[in-house]
Amino acid sequence: MQSTIKIFKPFQRVFIEPPSRLKDVALRYKSRLLSLFLLPMIVIFLAVDSVYLATVPGYQPPWYGYIFLVGSYLLNRSGRYTIAALLTIAMFPIVVLASNITGEASNPLTILYYLIPGLILGGILLSIYETALFALIEIAVIFSMPYVAPNVIADLSVVIGPLSVMVISAVLVLVSMKARDQIEEDRQAKLRDSEERLRLALDAAQMGTWSWNIETGAVSWSEKIEPLFGMKPGEFDGKYETYLSLIHPEDLSDVQNAIERALANEDADYFVEHRIICPNGEVCWLEGRGRVNRNIAGKPVIMVGTVVDITDRKRADEALRLAEEKYRHIVEYAVYGIYQSTPAGKFLSVNRAMARIYGYDSTEEMLKSVTDIISQVYVDLSDRAEFIRVLESEGEIYGFEARNHKRDGSIIWVSSSARTVRDAREDILYYEGTVEDITDRKAAEAERERLMEELAAKNTELERFVYTVSHDLKSPLVTIVGFLGYLEDDIAKGDIEALRKDVERIYGAAFKMQDLLKDLLELSRIGRMMNPAEEVSIDALVREAVELTEGRLQERGVEVHIEPGLPIVYGDRKRLLEVLQNLIDNAAKYMGNQPAPAIQIGQRGLDGGKPAFYVRDNGIGIAPEYHEQIFGLFNKLDPNVEGTGVGLALVKRIIEFHGGRIWVESEAEQGATFYFTLSQKEI
């Protein structure tokens, strides 16, 4: 089909298409119809006459018919459609009359029927009134035959048949023309109504229409277009070049390229957005749309379309673009993480801060890596369930705190706030929210709680300390004051022996007070006056502590067993030596009547990731109700045993300062084991 059309297009362009001088669209249409009628008639007449010339001796072709046909065709092709149409229609009655009058018609009655095609052609090319007049002329021609050609048609009875057919044909042609005109009138009314509605729509849209005659270059604008270009009504001269001169220089090539694409491609429509410079110097934006109409040969003939002022839309788009860019910058450079995620648990978008919080190098990497928020992000899955429950029931959630996994597996604390985004049917589309890394805040809160607890404990300890100190210091002071009274009496009596004993008692009370004050001072220094931390061999430290307590051990006959290969720890060597020295000395002091006293020092695995050391004895043991009490100030299970009762409090303070803990496991009369932990790295 396409190939046939392509073959026919050159033929149409040469033999049928009217010349460009014929401007009226309706006349061009009728001119094509006339050419389509005349060409076949010429070909048919030539074929028929050729057959007659070959088969009928003495046949004379109707040369005058060729004059009409060829002459009408040439006049029509030269743009003189009206003359060609009248000549073609007049051909039928003239040829019929001439043929019968001259006697050249082989069948005079039959040739009268040739008037009917002329009537039909008249119905196509003429108006209804002109066709009615032409029908009367042809009927008159039939009536005149007995008078102008009596030698071939004797009377009217002979032409009754052709006359009847002519009358019936005239009626049918006129009725059909009337119906056609009525249909056309209705169509025109609908077209006018449609055009009016289109005009109203165009007015409402501030849109104008235009047409461009590609062959002549004439441009026609509707009344709305000139104001769009900042021109007064009637100021546009209708030239294509004038239109191009109104376009912004930077957009001119885009407009010309869009026009060329529409002209070159039958499937392409014209569309372009361009700027113009109005007479007031203001730059405005216009949108042009159009479609190319082509002739049957496919040649672009006319382009029609619309133009609308889109300046406000462009400004709105620019404002929206700037707002979106501003929002994007706010999101991208925000301190808090910002995200969108699906109810199924997949991130739709994240900003840079979000990726940074979770340890990713870019937003793209995080979106690609995190495919399941529930399992990859949340440490406690119940936190995610609670987060979604509140979010979906309340529509929003603020300050939800939970532990999350980072990319490297480490755990952070985050505070999340979010809301649900729903469609018109209230179905959840996605969640959007913010994330703040509150790990430091949580650590500070934990440290604050720890300090508060420590302060409360210290306050309690201080109260107990003040009470104990006032009590224990009061005792030697009472002793000193009492014996000073005895001293006065003994001096007065001159009792030298009693005087010597009084002085010994006063010295003993003073030394006891000195020891108490010394131990209290030592205890207060823990945490304030410490030596630089270093790697310390517990194995070597134990042996040094044993040497320092050698006198006590030998006095009690205590055998010490040290587990070989004790590990290295990190801490203040001098203070840790005090810990071991105090524990060993205490173990030796509280052996009781044990016939084979022994102390074992070693390690029992790990506790909280730290090595747990022990000092075990087989002495008098400690009842469970005293396991905590013994680490308090001045708490001595046996008041007869020498010492101030500060030693274990000092040990506990040193161990805790090193980040460890100390505890005792014992039963009465079954020995005691003191455990303590130390770190193997700097804390």
Side-chain angles (χ1 to χ4, degrees):
M1 183 65 180
Q2 292 293 331
S3 60
T4 304
I5 293 175
K6 288 182 179 179
I7 294 172
F8 182 67
K9 282 183 178 180
F11 174 81
Q12 177 187 359
R13 190 162 50 248
V14 175
F15 295 103
I16 297 175
E17 194 66 23
S20 58
R21 60 178 291 185
L22 195 62
K23 306 297 184 185
D24 188 271
V25 176
L27 289 181
R28 290 180 66 86
Y29 175 73
K30 290 184 176 182
S31 176
R32 293 189 192 97
L33 289 177
L34 184 58
S35 294
L36 287 172
F37 172 78
L38 292 172
L39 274 178
M41 291 295 292
I42 293 172
V43 173
I44 291 171
F45 273 108
L46 283 173
V48 171
D49 287 341
S50 298
V51 172
Y52 273 104
L53 286 171
T55 58
V56 179
Y59 174 73
Q60 293 293 324
W63 52 270
Y64 39 82
Y66 285 105
I67 292 175
F68 279 101
L69 289 173
V70 175
S72 298
Y73 176 74
L74 293 176
L75 286 170
N76 187 45
R77 291 292 294 141
S78 65
R80 296 173 175 83
Y81 162 76
T82 304
I83 299 174
L86 292 174
L87 188 60
T88 302
I89 293 172
M91 174 187 69
F92 290 91
I94 292 173
V95 170
V96 169
L97 277 172
S99 297
N100 283 337
I101 290 173
T102 59
E104 293 179 356
S106 58
N107 192 334
L109 191 61
T110 301
I111 201 171
L112 293 177
Y113 289 100
Y114 288 172
L115 294 171
I116 295 174
L119 178 63
I120 296 173
L121 183 62
I124 296 173
L125 301 178
L126 303 176
S127 67
I128 187 170
Y129 299 108
E130 292 171 340
T131 303
L133 179 60
F134 183 65
L136 290 174
I137 292 173
E138 287 196 325
I139 291 172
V141 169
I142 295 174
F143 265 113
S144 69
M145 284 295 103
Y147 305 104
V148 298
N151 55 334
V152 293
I153 297 177
D155 53 42
L156 287 175
S157 61
V158 178
V159 297
I160 291 298
L163 184 61
S164 300
V165 174
M166 175 58 69
V167 172
I168 293 172
S169 297
V171 171
L172 291 175
V173 169
L174 292 173
V175 169
S176 66
M177 290 183 69
K178 181 63 176 177
R180 181 194 67 186
D181 291 347
Q182 184 62 48
I183 292 172
E184 179 63 19
E185 184 178 341
D186 293 342
R187 190 183 70 84
Q188 289 295 329
K190 291 181 179 179
L191 180 61
R192 286 192 297 273
D193 181 62
S194 176
E195 288 177 344
E196 179 63 19
R197 284 182 292 175
L198 177 61
R199 186 187 67 79
L200 292 174
L202 292 175
D203 288 346
Q206 295 295 307
M207 184 180 292
T209 59
W210 54 267
S211 65
W212 172 40
N213 190 314
I214 299 170
E215 295 181 340
T216 64
V219 178
S220 175
W221 282 356
S222 69
E223 60 183 13
K224 291 293 181 182
I225 294 186
E226 285 177 313
L228 294 180
F229 281 85
M231 303 175 71
K232 299 176 181 178
E235 186 177 349
F236 180 58
D237 59 9
K239 294 181 180 180
Y240 177 65
E241 293 75 13
T242 304
Y243 160 69
L244 293 179
S245 68
L246 298 172
I247 297 171
H248 194 286
E250 295 179 4
D251 297 342
L252 182 59
S253 61
D254 293 338
V255 174
Q256 291 176 320
N257 291 336
I259 293 173
E260 290 174 3
R261 282 194 301 270
L263 295 177
N265 189 347
E266 294 185 8
D267 298 326
D269 289 336
Y270 169 71
F271 173 79
V272 70
E273 293 180 351
H274 64 84
R275 292 165 291 174
I276 61 169
I277 301 178
C278 296
N280 61 4
E282 184 180 357
V283 176
C284 299
W285 278 90
L286 300 180
E287 177 188 275
R289 294 178 181 270
R291 179 167 294 177
V292 177
N293 293 330
R294 303 172 188 272
N295 59 22
I296 195 169
K299 179 182 178 182
V301 176
I302 190 170
M303 182 187 286
V304 295
T306 61
V307 63
V308 62
D309 187 343
I310 60 170
T311 304
D312 291 340
R313 193 189 78 192
K314 280 290 186 179
R315 289 172 179 167
D317 289 345
E318 178 65 13
L320 178 61
R321 186 190 67 78
L322 292 175
E324 288 178 344
E325 184 177 351
K326 181 179 179 181
Y327 172 76
R328 186 170 58 253
H329 285 170
I330 291 173
V331 170
E332 285 301 312
Y333 296 101
V335 177
Y336 297 140
I338 300 175
Y339 70 92
Q340 292 177 328
S341 66
T342 66
K346 182 175 177 59
F347 285 119
L348 297 174
S349 66
V350 297
N351 69 342
R352 295 178 183 176
M354 186 79 170
R356 186 172 60 251
I357 287 172
Y358 286 92
Y360 291 92
D361 296 329
S362 66
T363 58
E364 293 78 11
E365 182 185 14
M366 184 172 182
L367 291 174
K368 183 179 179 180
S369 301
V370 182
T371 57
D372 183 17
I373 296 174
I374 300 174
S375 62
Q376 292 180 258
V377 174
Y378 279 83
V379 175
D380 190 343
L381 302 186
S382 63
D383 286 341
R384 175 67 177 182
E386 177 64 13
F387 180 81
I388 297 300
R389 185 192 68 77
V390 175
L391 190 56
E392 293 188 354
S393 61
E394 303 293 334
E396 55 189 16
I397 188 171
Y398 296 98
F400 183 85
E401 297 181 357
R403 292 180 302 155
N404 285 182
H405 287 295
K406 291 183 67 173
R407 176 190 179 188
D408 59 5
S410 60
I411 296 175
I412 59 173
W413 276 94
V414 300
S415 174
S416 301
S417 298
R419 72 181 187 97
T420 58
V421 178
R422 301 176 183 267
D423 60 16
R425 296 179 300 178
E426 290 300 309
D427 293 331
I428 296 176
L429 295 175
Y430 56 87
Y431 309 130
E432 61 181 14
T434 61
V435 170
E436 178 187 2
D437 185 347
I438 59 170
T439 305
D440 291 341
R441 192 187 82 191
K442 279 290 186 179
E445 290 176 354
E447 178 64 14
R448 183 187 64 188
E449 290 299 319
R450 187 190 67 79
L451 291 175
M452 292 293 289
E453 292 175 0
E454 183 178 335
L455 180 60
K458 287 184 180 297
N459 284 335
T460 301
E461 183 180 346
L462 181 60
E463 291 176 2
R464 188 169 62 248
F465 174 79
V466 171
Y467 172 78
T468 304
V469 168
S470 64
H471 178 272
D472 283 27
L473 288 181
K474 184 179 180 181
S475 177
L477 285 175
V478 169
T479 301
I480 292 172
V481 172
F483 277 96
L484 285 174
Y486 292 145
L487 190 62
E488 290 178 350
D489 293 340
D490 292 338
I491 292 174
K493 294 177 181 179
D495 189 346
I496 301 301
E497 182 61 26
L499 183 63
R500 185 182 61 78
K501 290 181 180 180
D502 291 340
V503 172
E504 287 180 358
R505 292 290 184 91
I506 291 172
Y507 271 118
F511 288 143
K512 182 179 181 181
M513 183 181 291
Q514 183 181 16
D515 290 341
L516 282 171
L517 291 174
K518 178 182 176 183
D519 288 345
L520 290 174
L521 180 61
E522 188 68 20
L523 183 65
S524 69
R525 288 175 176 171
I526 303 300
R528 294 188 300 107
M529 297 180 64
M530 299 290 287
N531 300 296
E534 59 181 304
E535 289 186 346
V536 179
S537 170
I538 292 296
D539 193 76
L541 204 66
V542 167
R543 299 184 187 283
E544 185 176 346
V546 170
E547 290 179 2
L548 291 174
T549 56
E550 184 67 26
R552 176 85 66 184
L553 295 174
Q554 288 183 358
E555 177 187 344
R556 298 296 181 92
V558 179
E559 185 176 352
V560 179
H561 302 280
I562 303 173
E563 179 182 323
L566 294 177
I568 293 175
V569 297
Y570 199 87
D572 182 340
R573 190 179 190 283
K574 181 179 178 182
R575 295 296 183 185
L576 294 180
L577 180 60
E578 291 180 28
V579 169
L580 289 170
Q581 190 174 346
N582 267 288
L583 291 176
I584 295 171
D585 190 64
N586 267 6
K589 284 194 296 185
Y590 289 94
M591 281 295 177
N593 298 320
Q594 175 62 246
I599 297 175
Q600 296 179 357
I601 303 173
Q603 178 189 356
R604 188 184 71 175
L606 300 177
D607 181 82
K610 301 175 181 178
F613 302 98
Y614 64 84
V615 175
R616 181 180 295 123
D617 65 67
N618 58 353
I620 63 174
I622 304 169
E625 60 267 26
Y626 299 115
H627 284 185
E628 293 296 328
Q629 183 179 340
I630 60 172
F631 293 104
L633 279 173
F634 310 119
N635 289 328
K636 296 170 61 178
L637 294 181
D638 186 353
N640 297 318
V641 176
E642 63 179 288
T644 61
V646 178
L648 286 179
L650 185 68
V651 168
K652 184 173 185 292
R653 182 73 63 85
I654 294 173
I655 293 296
E656 289 179 349
F657 182 80
H658 281 77
R661 71 186 189 98
I662 185 169
W663 70 99
V664 65
E665 294 180 3
S666 175
E667 294 288 342
E669 305 301 332
Q670 296 183 16
T673 303
F674 283 84
Y675 292 96
F676 60 94
T677 62
L678 292 171
S679 178
Q680 291 183 289
K681 59 182 179 179
E682 185 175 3
I683 59 173

